[in-house]
């Protein structure tokens, strides 16, 4: 689980995590076990802890974030952490500037790339140009 496991490894810490990151009561939290799948099921969807701590993921999930997952047919565990940062940074920038960024706008600047590892397929956002990025 990595360096943030200590933040959620007991029921008390999990409750504190819920309060700290404003996770609604109807969102059920539990620490994944070794035999758990990273694939969403009808009653669960796994998210990495670091997506909340370092990348600003919040509930309810922003429609732009969900649209990215849907269009690329990804589950949240397949998305690289830096991609969480780029997507959430884009969302924050759009809110700050009181504008709407569409998926087409986003795809103009970034392309989704597959990274194959021994643990499966992960995806990351690659800038189409080093000169022009929405989030740096």
């Amino acid at each position: 689980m990595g360096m943030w496991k200590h933040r959620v490894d007991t029921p008390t810490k999990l409750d504190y995590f819920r309060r700290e990151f404003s996770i609604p009561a109807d969102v059920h939290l539990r620490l994944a076990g070794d035999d758990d799948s990273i694939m969403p099921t009808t009653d669960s969807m796994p998210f990495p802890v670091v997506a909340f701590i370092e990348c600003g993921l919040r509930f309810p999930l922003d429609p732009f974030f969900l649209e990215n997952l849907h269009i690329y047919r990804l589950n949240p565990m397949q998305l690289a952490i830096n991609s969480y940062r780029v997507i959430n940074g884009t969302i924050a920038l759009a809110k700050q500037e009181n504008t709407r960024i569409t998926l087409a706008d986003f795809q103009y600047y970034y392309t989704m790339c597959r990274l194959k590892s021994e643990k499966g397929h992960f995806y990351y956002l690659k800038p189409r140009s080093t000169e022009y990025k929405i989030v740096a």
Side-chain angles (χ1 to χ4, degrees):
M1 171 163 217
M3 65 187 260
W4 296 112
K5 182 178 180 178
H6 71 278
R7 298 281 306 264
V8 293
D9 61 357
T10 67
T12 304
K13 290 179 182 178
L14 209 53
D15 286 340
Y16 180 78
F17 183 82
R18 174 187 298 283
R19 287 191 307 275
E20 182 179 6
F21 293 102
S22 304
I23 299 173
D26 63 341
V27 174
H28 301 284
L29 300 178
R30 71 177 178 85
L31 186 59
D34 292 335
D35 295 332
D36 286 325
S37 171
I38 67 164
M39 295 304 292
T41 64
T42 56
D43 62 345
S44 71
M45 181 177 287
F47 286 95
V49 171
V50 70
F52 293 91
I53 296 172
E54 290 186 357
C55 303
L57 186 67
R58 296 294 183 268
F59 289 104
L61 297 174
D62 190 275
F64 184 73
F65 178 82
L66 292 172
E67 185 178 21
N68 271 279
L69 291 178
H70 177 74
I71 291 297
Y72 294 112
R73 297 180 181 208
L74 300 176
N75 76 60
M77 295 298 287
Q78 289 179 291
L79 195 57
I81 294 303
N82 282 344
S83 298
Y84 274 94
R85 289 182 180 115
V86 171
I87 294 169
N88 287 328
T90 302
I91 292 166
L93 182 63
K95 286 179 183 175
Q96 177 184 324
E97 298 298 321
N98 198 25
T99 189
R100 183 173 179 265
I101 296 178
T102 66
L103 187 62
D105 297 329
F106 191 71
Q107 289 175 325
Y108 179 81
Y109 292 100
Y110 295 96
T111 184
M112 190 67 74
C113 298
R114 185 172 74 171
L115 175 67
K116 189 174 179 182
S117 77
E118 65 272 357
K119 293 184 179 182
H121 297 284
F122 297 95
Y123 295 81
Y124 65 96
L125 288 166
K126 179 181 174 184
R128 292 184 186 269
S129 166
T130 56
E131 270 184 70
Y132 305 108
K133 299 177 192 176
I134 297 174
V135 176

